[in-house]
Amino acid sequence: MRFLTRRLVMPGDLNYADSLFGGRALEWIDEEAAIYAICQLETNVLVTKHIGEITFESPALKGDVVEFGLATKKVGRTSITISCMVRNKATKKTICMADDIVFVSLDPETREPTPHGKSMKELEEQTKEELRSLNLND
C-alpha cells in the first residue's frame, strides 16, 4: 500500500465528540481513491460504483495529520477495485479502512461503461516505472 496524500484535521471536520466525523473521512476516501483510479487508468471519466466494508478503528483529533494509503485490489474490463487505509501520520495508528472501492470507466459521450484497456500486470509495471522516475523505490 502506497501512502500518497495527507490532510490536516481541522475544527470543521469534527463531530460532536471532537473527533473526525465519519462522513468527512468517507468524503476524503472517495476523493483520494478517485484520484488514484484516475491516475491508474489514465482517464478522468470514472464514477464510484461501490464502496464495501468500512471499519473505523481509532479516532483522529483536531490537528492530527492523516495520510491515505491506496492499493489496487482487482482490475476488471471496465472497472478497478481499490482499498484505502487512513492512518495517523505521527502514530501510524489506523483510523479507518475502506475495502472494495469500485470505480467504473465511462464513455464520455454516452456515459455507458467502457473498457479501460488496462490489466493488473500493466498497472503494476506502470507503478514500478512511476516509482523509478520519482526515485521512490522501496
Side-chain angles (χ1 to χ4, degrees):
M1 186 163 286
R2 291 172 41 205
F3 287 83
L4 300 167
T5 59
R6 299 176 183 134
R7 294 204 186 217
L8 178 63
V9 179
M10 301 291 284
D13 302 322
L14 303 178
N15 62 20
Y16 62 90
D18 284 333
S19 61
L20 179 62
F21 181 58
R24 181 70 53 143
L26 294 177
E27 175 187 348
W28 290 349
I29 288 167
D30 189 33
E31 181 180 6
E32 295 299 330
I35 291 168
Y36 178 83
I38 287 165
C39 292
Q40 290 287 287
L41 299 181
E42 299 177 308
T43 179
N44 64 354
V45 188
L46 298 172
V47 293
T48 307
K49 175 151 178 85
H50 174 81
I51 298 178
E53 183 174 272
I54 299 156
T55 307
F56 291 90
E57 297 183 20
S58 64
L61 306 175
K62 180 174 71 177
D64 285 350
V65 174
V66 298
E67 59 184 357
F68 298 81
L70 297 140
T72 303
K73 285 186 70 177
K74 186 169 72 173
V75 178
R77 191 176 67 82
T78 63
S79 66
I80 185 170
T81 304
I82 295 166
S83 289
C84 180
M85 174 191 289
V86 182
R87 71 180 185 189
N88 183 298
K89 171 70 174 131
T91 67
K92 304 297 188 229
K93 285 179 79 172
T94 300
I95 295 163
C96 67
M97 182 77 185
D99 211 12
D100 295 329
I101 307 168
V102 179
F103 292 92
V104 175
S105 176
L106 300 181
D107 180 280
E109 292 178 20
T110 66
R111 307 296 288 174
E112 293 294 320
T114 188
H116 50 64
K118 300 277 186 168
S119 69
M120 182 66 106
K121 184 175 177 156
E122 286 175 290
L123 293 180
E124 288 168 355
E125 286 302 314
Q126 180 179 307
T127 298
K128 285 179 189 174
E129 183 56 38
E130 180 182 344
L131 291 174
R132 270 194 293 276
S133 72
L134 296 171
N135 236 0
L136 295 176
N137 287 324
D138 296 332

